[in-house]
């Protein structure tokens, strides 16, 4: 079955970096895009962008500056989100989600369990 | 960016009730509209895609409708496992945008 398994919770100090992984299984990794979604405390879901898993080309929501970087390792079917120069405002749950097309409409049909990133001094 | 506005922000209902959540987009998006259920501590779950199509495995009590700018999600008979937050999401254009969510609570 399709699974997206994310790395565990992270506690970081301001200014540090963090890398969140999203390991996939049960399907052809390069056949689907991989999206990242953020949920800040008490807030809703916010799309961060996506990565084309076949070419490695990312597309970012303009609301997320260059500190946020998507990458993939197709040899292990894993996507990564790296955030540098962390601030307390980056504290959130980060989700990866598979992008699929149904009736020509892209959906997020399978999601990772979420990774809690806490930034605090 | 296409703004998505849900109403209400929260509602209280009892098991067995019929509840309807609405979602309005800031511009016409045809039927490029999906609905997700999100429970605390769990991954969001796709319920409805293309405004009215039921995702495989989702109970038929979830009904989506609408097109253009106005959409709805109806749960015909609320079950205990349906208490969660529901989000609409447009995939008509990037950036993808979600509604702010509707929290369905037990009365």
């Amino acid at each position: 079955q399709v699974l997206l398994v994310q790395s565990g919770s992270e506690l970081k100090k301001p200014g540090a970096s963090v890398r969140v992984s999203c390991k996939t299984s049960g399907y052809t990794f390069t056949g689907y895009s991989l999206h990242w979604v953020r949920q800040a405390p008490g807030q809703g879901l916010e799309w961060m962008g996506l990565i084309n898993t076949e070419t490695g080309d990312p597309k970012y929501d303009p609301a997320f500056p260059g500190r946020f970087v998507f990458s993939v390792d197709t040899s292990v079917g894993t996507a990564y989100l790296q955030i540098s120069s962390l601030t307390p405002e980056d504290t959130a749950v980060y989700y990866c989600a598979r992008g699929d097309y149904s009736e020509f409409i892209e959906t997020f049909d399978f999601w990772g369990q979420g990774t809690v990133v806490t930034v605090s001094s | 960016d296409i703004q998505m506005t849900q109403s209400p922000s929260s509602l209280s209902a009892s098991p067995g009730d019929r509840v309807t959540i609405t979602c309005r987009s800031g511009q016409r998006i045809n039927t490029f509209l999906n609905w997700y259920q999100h429970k605390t501590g769990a991954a969001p779950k796709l319920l409805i895609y293309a405004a009215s199509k039921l995702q495989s495995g989702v109970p038929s009590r979830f009904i989506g409708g609408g097109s253009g700018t106005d959409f709805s999600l109806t749960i015909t008979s609320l079950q205990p496992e349906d208490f969660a937050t529901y989000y609409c999401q447009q995939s008509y254009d990037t950036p993808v945008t979600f509604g702010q969510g509707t929290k369905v609570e037990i009365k």
Side-chain angles (χ1 to χ4, degrees), chain A residues 35 37 39 43-47 50 59 61-62 95 102-114, chain B residues 1 31-34 36 38 41-46 49-50 53 55 87 89 91 94-96 98-100:
Chain A
H35 297 249
V37 175
Q39 185 175 37
Q43 304 298 308
L45 302 175
E46 184 178 20
W47 184 74
L50 67 93
K59 182 171 187 174
D61 184 313
Y95 294 96
S102 301
E103 308 254 340
F104 305 105
I105 292 171
E106 188 167 34
T107 66
F108 304 150
D109 63 343
F110 288 93
W111 295 65
Q113 82 276 19
Chain B
D1 298 7
T31 56
F32 286 75
L33 190 284
N34 305 315
Y36 298 86
H38 191 201
K45 177 183 176 182
L46 175 65
Y49 64 94
K53 310 291 186 183
Q55 175 68 354
Y87 294 91
Q89 172 245 320
S91 57
T94 53
V96 166
F98 291 89
Q100 81 278 17

Side-chain angles (χ1 to χ4, degrees), chain A residues 56-89:
Chain A
D57 290 336
K59 182 171 187 174
Y60 301 97
D61 184 313
F64 290 87
R67 298 187 299 112
F68 297 82
V69 176
F70 308 148
S71 62
V72 295
D73 183 342
T74 57
S75 67
V76 291
T78 300
Y80 302 94
L81 164 65
Q82 178 137 356
I83 313 172
S84 57
S85 302
L86 285 161
T87 73
E89 288 67 42

Side-chain angles (χ1 to χ4, degrees), chain B residues 19-102:
Chain B
V19 301
T20 295
I21 300 166
T22 64
C23 175
R24 174 166 288 178
S25 57
Q27 66 181 70
R28 295 184 65 83
I29 59 170
N30 197 344
T31 56
F32 286 75
L33 190 284
N34 305 315
W35 288 96
Y36 298 86
Q37 177 192 66
H38 191 201
K39 298 180 180 179
T40 302
K45 177 183 176 182
L46 175 65
L47 298 176
I48 301 284
Y49 64 94
S52 63
K53 310 291 186 183
L54 195 66
Q55 175 68 354
S56 176
V58 174
S60 58
R61 64 180 180 272
F62 292 92
I63 299 172
S67 67
T69 60
D70 293 293
F71 303 88
S72 64
L73 173 68
T74 296
I75 310 172
T76 56
S77 177
L78 204 60
Q79 299 299 302
E81 61 267 29
D82 300 337
F83 292 95
T85 300
Y86 293 85
Y87 294 91
C88 61
Q89 172 245 320
Q90 66 81 18
S91 57
Y92 181 81
D93 196 10
T94 53
V96 166
T97 45
F98 291 89
Q100 81 278 17
T102 296

